[in-house]
Structure formats: structure tokens, C-alpha cells
Amino acid sequence: MVIEFSTCSEVLGGIPQGSILGPLLFLIYTHDLPDLCTQQDPSTKTFLYADDAKIYKVINQLPDQDELQGVVNTVKNWSDEWLLRLNIDKCKTVSFYVKKSYQYSVSYNP
């Protein structure tokens, strides 16, 4: 059996991809996000996956849309506070609707 080691290099921040502790530490770092979203709007559900989050809410009328946008704003503010800038290009909305589609937004100033 041959054992090989990669060269050592300095890690300036974050956790190297493929680490065993990376996903666990990320979950510990982000554990308060679902509670924060629920405080903003108790009917909104938040699901955390390894490095991803899903926000879900049934929209029946305009105030529901405003509440969900408020939760989206809360997530953006939380991510700014904890220096986890959202990748806007990877943020997506999925709507299942019969009558009307709603739009949500997250933006950063250049």
C-alpha cells in the first residue's frame, strides 16, 4: 500500500471542501436561521440542507406575499450580519400557482 500526502498550504479562511467537519460546522453556524424566519412569520417554513436553505409558504393573498418577502429580507440581513453573502445567481424561486405568480427579490448594491 502506498500512502501519499498533498502539499501543505495555509488556509486563510473557511473550511476546506471535502472536510469531515465542514458540513457539521456550517450547520452549527447557521442553526438559528430557521428560528429567525419563524419569528418573522410563523407560517413560513425553512429547511436547511448541507449548504443550502429552502423557504416555503402558501400564498393565498397579497399579505402572504408581503410576509414571505419579509422573511427573504430577514435571510438576506442575517447573511450580511454573519458575513455569508448570498450568491444571487444561485437564488431561485419556484411558484406553483393557478391564478397569479408573485415575484420576490434580493439585491446587493454594487
Side-chain angles (χ1 to χ4, degrees):
M1 172 169 39
V2 176
I3 297 176
E4 295 186 32
F5 295 95
S6 59
T7 59
C8 294
S9 60
E10 184 178 349
V11 177
L12 301 175
I15 296 172
Q17 275 198 322
S19 71
I20 294 170
L21 283 177
L24 176 62
L25 294 174
F26 183 78
L27 288 174
I28 291 169
Y29 194 68
T30 60
H31 80 281
D32 64 329
L33 184 58
D35 292 337
L36 192 62
C37 293
T38 302
Q39 288 172 5
Q40 175 71 28
D41 175 25
S43 64
T44 298
K45 306 291 184 224
T46 307
F47 303 97
L48 294 180
Y49 302 98
D51 64 347
D52 195 10
K54 309 278 187 235
I55 302 170
Y56 169 84
K57 179 175 178 68
V58 175
I59 306 295
N60 291 316
Q61 50 192 336
L62 190 58
D64 296 331
Q65 177 191 5
D66 295 338
E67 291 167 356
L68 183 55
Q69 181 63 57
V71 173
V72 170
N73 295 342
T74 297
V75 170
K76 192 242 183 231
N77 293 337
W78 177 91
S79 70
D80 290 345
E81 181 181 342
W82 289 101
L83 305 177
L84 290 173
R85 188 175 172 117
L86 299 174
N87 186 340
I88 301 301
D89 294 334
K90 291 185 175 182
C91 292
K92 304 292 179 203
T93 352
V94 177
S95 296
F96 302 99
Y97 58 92
V98 176
K99 296 179 183 176
K100 180 175 171 131
S101 175
Y102 297 101
Q103 299 295 315
Y104 304 94
S105 64
V106 176
S107 62
Y108 287 99
N109 295 327

